[in-house]
Amino acid sequence: MSDPIKHECGIALLRLKKPIEYFIEKYGTAFYGVNKLHLLMEKQHNRGQDGAGVANIKLDMNPGERYISRIRSVNKTPIKDIFEQINSRFQDIYEKTPEKIKDVEHLKKSAGFTGELFLGHLRYGTFGKNSKESCHPFLRQNNWITRNLVVAGNFNLTNVDELFDVLLKVGQHPKEMSDTVTVLEKIGHFLDVENDELYRQFKKDNISNQEVYEKIAKHIEIEKILKKASEDWDGGYAMAGLLGHGDAFVLRDPAGVRPAFWYEDDEICVVASERPAIQTAFNLQVEDVNELNPGHALIVKKDGSVREHLINEPTKVSKCSFERIYFSRGSDKDIYNERKELGRLIVEPVLETVDHDLDNTVFSFIPNTAEISFYGMVKGLESYLNVQKIEEVQKLGSNASKEDLEKIINRRARIEKIAIKDAKLRTFITQDDSRNDLVSHVYDITYGGIRAHEDNLVVIDDSIVRGTTLRQSIFKILDRMNPKKIVVVSSAPQIRYPDCYGIDMAKLGDFIAFNAAISLLREQGKESIIDEVYQLCLSQVDKPKEEVINHVKKIYDPFTPQEISKRIAELLTPEDMKAPVDIVYQSIENLHQACPNNKGDWYFTGNYPTPGGNKVVNKAFINWKENRNERAY
């Protein structure tokens, strides 16, 4: 994606189902869990690089012995920083008392992160302070072991204000109004309620408090806690939690917006945001890994039993399509094929922009994340050419010469590596003119691949969000090669609406598609539509979110996608460009065809999977109209 946008976040949960001694005997190390957690997080580092955190719980520790460990970091390389801190402690033990490095009793008593239950989190800070205190996992501590709660998630809730009021009504005093704190306290509240109910129930048996606590740990109903805590959540989430005594859970939202995958065998149970991370860490095949069903929780009990349990009835499934287009790593079997299909399906409109002149057109991609869709586009071009070749061969008849046949058969789509990003080039210059000049040289171009003033240049990107990088650097870079025409292709449709479920796309004014539609309305004397939408949005401010309608769709209704694409090209083309510019976007229909199981497309269509989404988009429009540069949630 030429315009970098952020995405929160990634999770990794690991439960060792065998004693630590088992892993020492089989794998030669007491740190099997730490090592696997490290690998799971590294294989998901694309999901968050602003910060990271890990937590660990040791099972069956004696009173007075520490059983919860946690480290968080906002270091420049947070994963590396965290595991260097953890491993430095193990190294210290090895250097001072090497005989203790496989002494499980000693390790559990004297060193952190030697327990059986792990939770890791990767964070992108979409708003607020990017401090260590903002990093997951969050910890709610209590002297009762079954009341301790560790939470980390990949989520965003649209109705934090409502949930905050609920906490106030039950007598809590949350330290801040954020979705993370609200979720922690909401689950924590019902965890307390469950503990209180079980305490009263078992105390009737005239047994000691120690026996009561042991019974609570065994009988605590996580599914009941999660159902009560999450029944009024509005948003997308994959929420992971650990209880102090050793139970664990991962809860997914009813629409399946945020992803979660899991695997279990007799040694471990593992959950992650991305399937390939689990496959790589444990050498598994794709069919070995399960997807956590929307509205369900994976519950791992202290005794090692694992089950998937329905918590909230699933709604219309709207799995995030951006996971497939860009966020998740392309090493997933299905995502790889879907990205290729996105490239293949856009071939026909691309050919139309260059008048089907393949002999004088060069195809490439920017940035590297668009490489897979580029492969798909090349496959589509090959299929188109094969049809042309068959027709041309048939026209030659039975008397075709070898030379004529070779000329036809050897026709290929012309593909080149046009631009290479210089990762070492950085700037701290704050003046716009100076910074923009340096930004325009971030990519090195490959000279010689294009015939000046003769060849069209087609470049595919994952998506175009703001268009800032195109305008400030990429167009100028490509124009240096003197192509006859430049065509930028987006493998995703036009991004028209804000996201409110975890992607850093919150302000309408940031979207080039929105600015293009506004520009067309003003040019065509239809500004009354802007005022009409503003008034409609204002009229719904105090309505319950369930009654709110997305009125911002009216901004786009007067125009075809092609008209908006044309205006986008005009807005993004620098004044000093020599080559004409076209921009081609994927269609919604082709997106659904390429990604049939991930049809969450609200940022393209405005069809939000939860009522809170409609409230957010209207608030975003009000903010834009009133020139308030703030988030709508």
Side-chain angles (χ1 to χ4, degrees):
M1 185 175 294
S2 53
D3 283 327
I5 63 175
K6 293 183 176 180
H7 173 235
E8 59 172 16
C9 300
I11 58 172
L13 184 148
L14 175 62
R15 166 64 197 273
L16 303 181
K17 295 170 65 176
K18 299 283 189 182
I20 304 297
E21 290 86 353
Y22 171 90
F23 297 96
I24 294 175
E25 182 176 348
K26 183 170 181 179
Y27 299 104
T29 178
F31 313 118
Y32 180 86
V34 168
N35 295 337
K36 290 298 185 182
L37 182 69
H38 189 182
L39 185 55
L40 287 166
M41 293 177 70
E42 284 289 3
K43 291 302 176 182
Q44 298 183 100
H45 75 271
N46 52 296
R47 304 189 70 85
Q49 296 162 24
D50 287 344
V54 299
N56 176 244
I57 288 181
K58 304 172 186 177
L59 304 183
D60 301 319
M61 300 300 287
N62 295 318
E65 293 176 344
R66 185 176 178 182
Y67 58 93
I68 299 179
S69 303
R70 179 180 62 155
I71 293 180
R72 298 177 293 176
S73 173
V74 289
N75 186 282
K76 186 177 180 180
T77 52
I79 301 175
K80 180 173 180 286
D81 179 49
I82 283 171
F83 286 95
E84 281 182 349
Q85 290 185 58
I86 293 172
N87 289 322
S88 67
R89 301 174 187 178
F90 301 152
Q91 184 65 29
D92 187 57
I93 293 172
Y94 178 74
E95 291 176 355
K96 293 180 179 177
T97 52
E99 71 279 3
K100 299 290 187 181
I101 204 65
K102 293 183 179 181
D103 184 336
V104 174
E105 183 178 358
H106 173 78
L107 290 174
K108 291 187 72 169
K109 288 184 177 180
S110 62
F113 299 94
T114 53
E116 296 85 354
L117 187 55
F118 296 85
L119 179 59
H121 186 265
L122 302 133
R123 178 179 189 267
Y124 261 140
T126 57
F127 64 96
K129 297 179 180 179
N130 189 32
S131 62
K132 188 166 75 171
E133 287 68 31
S134 301
C135 287
H136 304 200
F138 276 53
L139 176 61
R140 190 178 192 262
Q141 292 182 291
N142 194 286
N143 279 339
W144 283 35
I145 192 169
T146 52
R147 293 178 187 251
N148 280 276
L149 176 65
V150 182
V151 167
N154 170 17
F155 69 100
N156 208 78
L157 301 183
T158 69
N159 61 332
V160 177
D161 51 348
E162 296 175 7
L163 300 176
F164 188 83
D165 289 341
V166 170
L167 290 176
L168 297 182
K169 288 176 183 177
V170 299
Q172 290 197 17
H173 189 86
K175 61 181 180 180
E176 61 179 282
M177 188 188 291
S178 74
D179 52 5
T180 307
V181 170
T182 303
V183 163
L184 180 73
E185 294 303 330
K186 195 86 187 294
I187 298 173
H189 169 73
F190 288 105
L191 177 61
D192 288 343
V193 170
E194 176 74 357
N195 270 272
D196 290 341
E197 290 177 354
L198 290 174
Y199 181 83
R200 287 192 294 269
Q201 175 185 333
F202 294 132
K203 198 61 180 171
K204 294 176 182 178
D205 297 336
N206 292 320
I207 56 177
S208 69
N209 280 343
Q210 184 61 39
E211 291 174 301
V212 168
Y213 300 148
E214 290 173 359
K215 280 198 163 192
I216 289 174
K218 186 176 180 181
H219 290 89
I220 199 163
E221 293 187 45
I222 296 179
E223 53 267 41
K224 184 168 76 173
I225 295 168
L226 294 178
K227 190 171 184 62
K228 290 181 178 179
S230 65
E231 61 185 357
D232 50 4
W233 291 356
D234 185 292
Y237 51 85
M239 197 77 61
L242 316 177
L243 274 59
H245 66 283
D247 285 358
F249 65 85
V250 177
L251 173 65
R252 193 177 185 193
D253 66 89
V257 172
R258 299 266 66 89
F261 298 87
W262 65 278
Y263 168 78
E264 177 202 13
D265 60 25
D266 63 342
E267 293 183 351
I268 55 101
C269 179
V270 57
V271 187
S273 295
E274 296 192 22
R275 181 169 60 183
I278 298 176
Q279 288 182 248
T280 300
F282 296 96
N283 193 26
L284 301 172
Q285 300 302 310
V286 63
E287 58 270 14
D288 297 329
V289 183
N290 307 287
E291 182 176 1
L292 181 57
N293 288 305
H296 287 66
L298 188 74
I299 296 174
V300 186
K301 295 295 289 181
K302 179 180 180 291
D303 63 11
S305 62
V306 177
R307 70 182 186 277
E308 194 170 317
H309 192 96
L310 176 65
I311 303 298
N312 297 301
E313 201 63 41
T315 59
K316 180 182 178 181
V317 176
S318 298
K319 300 175 188 177
C320 175
S321 59
F322 243 123
E323 290 282 351
R324 324 301 281 185
I325 296 166
Y326 176 69
F327 289 124
S328 292
R329 297 176 83 175
S331 55
D332 183 275
K333 174 190 171 184
D334 293 336
I335 292 175
Y336 180 78
N337 290 324
E338 288 166 13
R339 290 182 185 175
K340 283 203 301 182
E341 188 68 358
L342 286 168
R344 187 188 71 81
L345 289 172
I346 208 166
V347 164
E348 185 53 41
V350 170
L351 288 173
E352 291 175 6
T353 65
V354 296
D355 298 321
H356 294 75
D357 184 9
L358 290 185
D359 292 332
N360 298 296
T361 302
V362 173
F363 296 87
S364 192
F365 59 92
I366 295 179
N368 287 342
T369 52
E371 186 174 7
I372 298 173
S373 59
F374 171 72
Y375 292 152
M377 185 169 67
V378 171
K379 289 289 184 184
L381 292 168
E382 289 173 351
S383 297
Y384 169 80
L385 269 175
N386 286 340
V387 173
Q388 303 301 309
K389 290 176 183 180
I390 290 170
E391 292 177 357
E392 291 176 24
V393 169
Q394 288 174 333
K395 288 178 183 178
L396 289 176
S398 58
N399 295 322
S401 67
K402 178 182 178 183
E403 290 75 15
D404 287 339
L405 288 172
E406 284 181 344
K407 183 178 179 181
I408 294 171
I409 291 171
N410 289 331
R411 284 190 69 200
R412 297 283 189 276
R414 295 171 58 197
I415 61 175
E416 302 286 351
K417 177 73 171 178
I418 291 298
I420 303 168
K421 191 170 186 179
D422 187 349
K424 296 179 181 178
L425 192 58
R426 297 287 186 269
T427 176
F428 299 97
I429 300 172
T430 56
Q431 292 82 7
D432 285 342
D433 291 342
S434 300
R435 183 177 66 248
N436 290 346
D437 178 65
L438 189 53
V439 166
S440 69
H441 292 83
V442 166
Y443 285 91
D444 290 331
I445 61 172
T446 306
Y447 295 95
I450 289 186
R451 297 173 300 191
H453 311 297
E454 292 184 38
D455 289 333
N456 303 305
L457 176 57
V458 176
V459 177
I460 192 168
D461 193 352
D462 307 285
S463 66
I464 302 168
V465 186
R466 304 175 182 95
T468 307
T469 307
L470 279 175
R471 183 174 54 245
Q472 292 182 352
S473 73
I474 290 176
F475 277 142
K476 294 177 181 179
I477 292 167
L478 301 180
D479 202 39
R480 291 185 213 145
M481 307 176 78
N482 295 309
K484 182 172 66 174
K485 183 180 187 179
I486 296 172
V487 181
V488 173
V489 183
S490 170
S491 68
Q494 296 165 3
I495 296 171
R496 299 181 170 192
Y497 304 94
D499 183 73
C500 51
Y501 306 118
I503 300 173
D504 186 21
M505 300 191 298
K507 303 172 186 175
L508 276 170
D510 287 346
F511 304 144
I512 189 60
F514 176 78
N515 289 320
I518 294 294
S519 171
L520 287 170
L521 288 172
R522 288 170 172 165
E523 179 183 85
Q524 297 179 12
K526 298 177 180 177
E527 285 192 82
S528 60
I529 293 177
I530 301 174
D531 294 327
E532 176 192 353
V533 171
Y534 177 57
Q535 293 302 322
L536 287 168
C537 290
L538 285 176
S539 70
Q540 296 191 109
V541 167
D542 295 323
K543 284 188 175 182
K545 63 181 182 298
E546 291 76 14
E547 299 177 16
V548 175
I549 297 169
N550 178 2
H551 289 297
V552 182
K553 289 183 178 183
K554 295 179 183 293
I555 295 295
Y556 300 98
D557 285 346
F559 313 112
T560 66
Q562 291 74 24
E563 288 176 303
I564 292 176
S565 294
K566 183 179 178 181
R567 178 50 53 94
I568 288 171
E570 293 168 357
L571 292 175
L572 294 184
T573 303
E575 292 181 3
D576 55 351
M577 283 280 290
K578 299 186 289 293
V581 170
D582 274 350
I583 295 181
V584 177
Y585 281 91
Q586 187 70 266
S587 69
I588 299 295
E589 295 75 19
N590 283 349
L591 171 68
H592 291 168
Q593 182 178 334
C595 308
N597 298 317
N598 286 66
K599 293 186 177 180
D601 60 5
W602 52 92
Y603 15 71
F604 309 126
T605 64
N607 299 327
Y608 287 90
T610 73
N614 292 331
K615 199 172 183 72
V616 166
V617 68
N618 287 349
K619 181 66 161 57
F621 187 83
I622 293 170
N623 288 345
W624 171 81
K625 188 70 169 61
E626 296 178 354
N627 293 314
R628 284 190 279 147
N629 186 28
E630 59 186 55
R631 306 177 72 87
Y633 60 91

